[in-house]
């Protein structure tokens, strides 16, 4: 993997205000990936491919990441970035809406990373559970959403996202098949392991 190119991708994303995984969040996820040693990772929300590229380092030989991106321009940029870093044999991009694509996937994944439309997190969770096996780790980024989720935030614009994130947290913590911890790292990270 070309680390210099990866650093350039990160800097450009930050300059362009494209949301990418925060360093402290990446550190936590990297530790999980080292433990799990995944062959198959599903990522919901590719953006410019930065996180998928970072995760690809922890794949088993012949492992693969399937990542979904709705925004055409970002998907194109992600393809370029993945090529620059020379990991295109490890990452497959599905372009389109995750709500439509997820039900068509019939794989079983070792790790699922959710970082897309906040209002859709409960749906993403149900799909992630469907494609998990015992030991699969489902990671959702930004679950505390700038602190709104734990506060009494009720501004109209973000209300749906906040409500759905609260629902996501409730579902992962009350689901008898999942063991969940919520970390106050980055903008909140929910880590659920399938029992």
């Amino acid at each position: 993997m070309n680390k210099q190119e990866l650093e350039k991708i990160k800097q450009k994303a930050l300059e362009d205000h494209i949301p990418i995984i925060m360093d402290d969040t990446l550190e936590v996820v990297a530790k999980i990936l080292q433990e799990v040693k995944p062959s198959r990772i599903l990522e919901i929300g590719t953006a410019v491919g930065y996180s998928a590229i970072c995760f690809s380092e922890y794949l088993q030989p012949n492992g693969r990441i399937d990542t979904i991106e709705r925004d055409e321009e970002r998907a194109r940029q992600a393809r370029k970035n993945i090529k620059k870093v020379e990991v295109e044999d490890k990452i497959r991009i599905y372009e389109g809406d995750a709500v439509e694509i997820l039900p068509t996937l019939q794989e079983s994944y070792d790790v699922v990373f959710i970082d897309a439309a906040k209002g859709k997190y409960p749906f993403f969770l149900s799909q992630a559970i469907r494609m998990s096996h015992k030991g699969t780790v489902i990671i959702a980024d930004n679950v505390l959403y700038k602190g709104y989720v734990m506060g009494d935030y009720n501004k109209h614009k973000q209300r749906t996202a906040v409500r759905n994130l609260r629902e996501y947290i409730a579902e992962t913590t009350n689901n008898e098949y999942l063991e969940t911890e919520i970390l106050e790292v980055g903008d909140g990270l929910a880590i659920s392991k399938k029992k």
Side-chain angles (χ1 to χ4, degrees), residues 69-84:
E69 179 53 52
R70 192 175 59 187
D71 185 294
E72 205 178 311
E73 184 44 48
R74 285 190 181 172
R76 189 177 311 129
Q77 195 54 57
R79 282 194 184 92
K80 277 188 198 159
N81 290 340
I82 289 162
K83 215 175 176 70
K84 274 184 207 160

Side-chain angles (χ1 to χ4, degrees), residues 117-155:
K118 312 283 163 272
K120 304 278 185 350
Y121 271 37
F123 175 76
F124 296 156
L125 176 65
S126 67
Q127 291 296 311
I129 291 171
R130 178 180 70 81
M131 294 185 275
S132 333
H133 52 74
K134 188 176 186 292
T136 292
V137 180
I138 301 168
I139 305 165
D141 201 2
N142 308 314
V143 290
L144 298 178
Y145 200 41
K146 307 179 180 87
Y148 299 152
V149 173
M150 294 310 185
D152 51 8
Y153 185 82
N154 211 7
K155 235 185 229 157

